[in-house]
Amino acid sequence: MRRKTMASAITALLVTAGLLAGCSSGSNTNNTETDPNASVSPSAANGEQAAEPVEITWGIHFQAAGVVEDTPVQKWLEDKFNVKIKPVKVTDASIASGDIPDIFMLGDPANVAAYQNQGVLMSIDPGMLREKMPEYYADIEKNSKLFQTVTFDEELWAIPMFIDLKPYDLAMLWRKDWLDNVGITKVPETLDEFEQAVYAFAQKDPDQNGQKDTYGLTGTATSTWSSGFYSIFGAFGVEPTMWHEKNGEIVNGSVMPETKEALAKLRQWYADGVIDPEFITDTQDSYRKKLYNGRIGVIEEQIAKAALPESATVTEMKSLNPEAELAFARNPQGPGGHGSWDWGVKSNFIVIGNKVKDQPEKLEKLFEILQAQSSDEETINRTSLGEKGVHWDFAESGAASGATKFLAGFEKQEERDQQGIRLFSLGNITTQAYREKYSNPALNEAIKTYSSAPNLTDALLFSALPSDGKYKADLTSLMQKYFAQMISGEIPLDDFDKFVTEWNSRGGEELTKEANEMYQAQFKN
C-alpha cells in the first residue's frame, strides 16, 4: 500500500459540497430489547466507583443539517459507553479554525487526502483495526483495494466503508402510459428502441392533449462531477470524467473516442427536438418534476426511488397524477454495452482526529464504539433508526428481520434528527451479516435486476491524484461547457478534437500520467 503524500494543492478540492457528497447509510435495521443493566459499567454494577467518562468530540453525520443538543440518542450512547459527547458539525471553516473532532466521516478519498495533507488526521494501524473490529475487517478485506484509496506514505488514514448492493444505482423510469399512447408495447431495452420511444414522445402527442408540448428526455449537463446523460454515454461504454482501463492503460472518459460518438447521438436528438432545451440547467429534482408534470417521458432514477410500488418517486407521481403508469427498466444496450455512472464498492470513510494519537484511552474507547457500530444490532439500530416500537418497526407485522419502516411522527428525516437518529450513525460500517439480516429482500432483488454495476466504475476507485487540486475542477467545467455547446449545436461536433487538445494542455495530460502510475502501483492486480 504505497503512495506519495498528496501535494498541498489538493486542498482546493476540499469544499463543503465535497463533504456532503458521500453516500447515506442506506441501512434497514432493527433494534433488540435492551438489557436494563446494559448501559451500566461492570465496576458500577459491582458497587465500585465508576471510571470518569471519556470526553469525545463527535462530528455528526455529514448529511445532517446541524447539531441538535442533548438528544435521546446522544444520552443513550453516553450511558452505554461511559462517554461524554460534544456533537459538532464538520465544515472546512471549523477544521481551518483548529476545531478537529475526535471522530467523523468524510465522503471521498480526495477529502481524506486533503485533510491528511493539512495534518488533521491520525494514521490508523491496520493491525489494530483487524484486532478491534474483526468481523468488519474480514468483510472489508474482500474489497481490500479500498484501503489503497486512503493510504499515503505507506500509512492508512481512514477506515473505508463499502457497499455491495447499491440502492442509488441508476436505471430508467418510463411513463408506461405514454408508451402505450404512442403504440409502443415493449419497454425499451436497446438504444435503438430507446431512440424510437423518445422520438415518439416528442412528436406523437403522448399526453393526448392536442399540443406539441412534450420532449423525450432531459439531462443534467452541469452536475457536480460529470456530464449527465449517463445511460446514453454508458451505452457507448464510457462515462465522462471517470478513469477507464483500456488495453492496460488508464484513459479519462472525457476524451475517449466513444464519447464523441455519444455526443453525436445526443446532438442529433437535440436538433430534432427530442431533448428538452433546459437540459443545461436541469437537476435530478427538476427532471423528476418534469416527469410528474408531463413534460418528458423518461428519466434516470435511483433504484430505491423507483423500482418498487412504494418507492418515493412512484408514490409522488401517483399522488400528483393518479392515472399515470410507470415502468422501470435497465439502462439501454448500445454499441459499447449498457450502464450508468457507478460509484462502485466505495462508500464513505471514517477518520480520527490527530490529537487522539496521544490519548490511548480515548482511542480504545473510539474503537469500542466503532466495533459496536459495525456489529452490535442494538447500537446500530439505536443510532440509525431509534427505538423499536417508538420510532420504527418492521415493515411486515411480526417480522424479526427484513425491511423496516418509520412510524407516525418520524417519517421525515428532520423529525428523526431531533431525536439524534442519524446524527451519530456511522453509516456503512456495518458487517455484511447485519446487512443481509436487516435489508429489504424486494429492494435487493430489484438492485440485482436493474443495476448495471460493475460495468462502469472508476478504475482507481475515485482515488485522489496528486494534481487533482490543480486541475480537476477546471477540467470538469471545461468538459461541461464543450459538451453542452456540442449537444445544443452552438459549436461543431468536430470541436471535440479541439476540446481533447485543450483538456490535455490544461492538466489532463499530467493527470493521465499520474493515473497510470497509480494504477500500475496500486490497482492493477
Side-chain angles (χ1 to χ4, degrees), residues 58-355:
W58 191 308
I60 62 170
H61 196 288
F62 48 40
Q63 291 181 327
V67 170
V68 182
E69 298 284 354
D70 297 322
T71 61
V73 172
Q74 177 182 333
K75 293 175 181 177
W76 184 88
L77 285 166
E78 289 176 337
D79 289 342
K80 181 176 177 67
F81 294 102
N82 192 30
V83 294
K84 181 62 179 174
I85 294 173
K86 177 186 176 183
V88 296
K89 176 70 175 174
V90 182
T91 65
D92 288 345
S94 67
I95 294 294
S97 71
D99 188 9
I100 300 169
D102 296 317
I103 187 169
F104 58 110
M105 284 201 296
L106 293 171
D108 194 86
N111 304 129
V112 178
Y115 278 161
Q116 183 268 341
N117 189 65
Q118 295 177 57
V120 167
L121 307 179
M122 185 193 91
S123 63
I124 295 170
D125 178 5
M128 188 175 189
L129 182 60
R130 185 187 301 111
E131 175 191 348
K132 300 297 184 182
M133 302 175 66
E135 300 90 351
Y136 181 75
Y137 189 88
D139 285 341
I140 195 68
E141 221 177 8
K142 298 171 187 174
N143 302 293
S144 59
K145 288 184 178 180
L146 286 173
F147 287 115
Q148 303 283 16
T149 67
V150 286
T151 296
F152 323 127
D153 288 343
E154 302 182 32
E155 292 185 279
L156 181 67
W157 295 93
I159 302 173
M161 290 185 262
F162 71 96
I163 186 163
D164 42 2
L165 293 175
K166 300 182 291 301
Y168 48 79
D169 280 350
L170 296 167
M172 309 311 304
L173 182 61
W174 291 90
R175 282 289 300 265
K176 175 64 168 58
D177 52 330
W178 279 22
L179 290 171
D180 294 340
N181 290 344
V182 298
I184 296 175
T185 58
K186 173 190 173 189
V187 177
E189 296 178 358
T190 68
L191 187 61
D192 287 343
E193 292 170 348
F194 184 101
E195 183 174 68
Q196 178 188 356
V198 293
Y199 267 79
F201 289 167
Q203 298 172 353
K204 294 186 177 181
D205 192 23
D207 57 358
Q208 299 181 336
N209 68 352
Q211 301 179 42
K212 188 173 176 57
D213 57 359
T214 57
Y215 296 92
L217 72 160
T218 189
T220 54
T222 54
S223 69
T224 56
W225 64 83
S226 190
S227 62
F229 298 112
Y230 304 117
S231 292
I232 308 307
F233 283 103
F236 289 87
V238 68
E239 290 295 340
T241 75
M242 192 180 283
W243 293 106
H244 295 276
E245 184 276 326
K246 190 172 183 179
N247 300 322
E249 296 290 323
I250 300 301
V251 186
N252 194 278
S254 298
V255 294
M256 292 172 65
E258 295 86 348
T259 298
K260 186 177 181 179
E261 297 175 27
L263 288 169
K265 178 68 72 175
L266 292 166
R267 180 185 177 90
Q268 184 61 55
W269 290 356
Y270 185 91
D272 292 341
V274 172
I275 294 177
D276 189 326
E278 295 176 355
F279 81 92
I280 295 173
T281 56
D282 272 336
T283 65
Q284 284 187 337
D285 284 340
S286 66
Y287 73 46
R288 287 188 190 107
K289 291 176 182 176
K290 289 183 175 182
L291 185 76
Y292 300 151
N293 296 330
R295 183 178 171 98
I296 58 175
V298 63
I299 63 171
E300 279 194 313
E301 184 56 287
Q302 297 176 26
I303 295 172
K305 290 183 179 292
L308 303 178
E310 67 272 20
S311 297
T313 302
V314 178
T315 56
E316 182 71 7
M317 170 61 95
K318 285 295 184 182
S319 70
L320 297 172
N321 189 346
E323 301 304 315
E325 294 182 43
L326 297 172
F328 205 60
R330 300 185 71 177
N331 312 112
Q333 178 81 28
H338 72 98
S340 185
W341 184 279
D342 177 22
W343 290 106
V345 296
K346 178 193 79 68
S347 185
N348 303 315
F349 299 85
I350 294 173
V351 292
I352 297 175
N354 60 356
K355 296 179 182 178

Side-chain angles (χ1 to χ4, degrees), residues 396-415:
E396 183 179 339
S397 178
S401 64
T404 61
K405 63 180 180 181
F406 287 107
L407 301 179
F410 302 101
E411 296 98 336
K412 296 180 180 179
Q413 185 62 64
E414 53 265 32
E415 295 168 334

Side-chain angles (χ1 to χ4, degrees), residues 3-13 110 113 243 463-475 506-515 517-518:
R3 194 160 157 203
K4 297 180 180 179
T5 304
M6 298 293 102
S8 61
I10 201 168
T11 57
L13 279 177
W243 293 106
S463 299
L465 297 172
S467 299
D468 270 350
K470 288 167 37 178
Y471 304 124
K472 186 175 181 179
D474 177 57
L475 291 177
R506 289 172 61 168
E509 186 173 6
E510 184 173 345
L511 290 183
T512 301
K513 179 176 181 293
E514 292 176 354
E517 289 172 351
M518 180 181 290

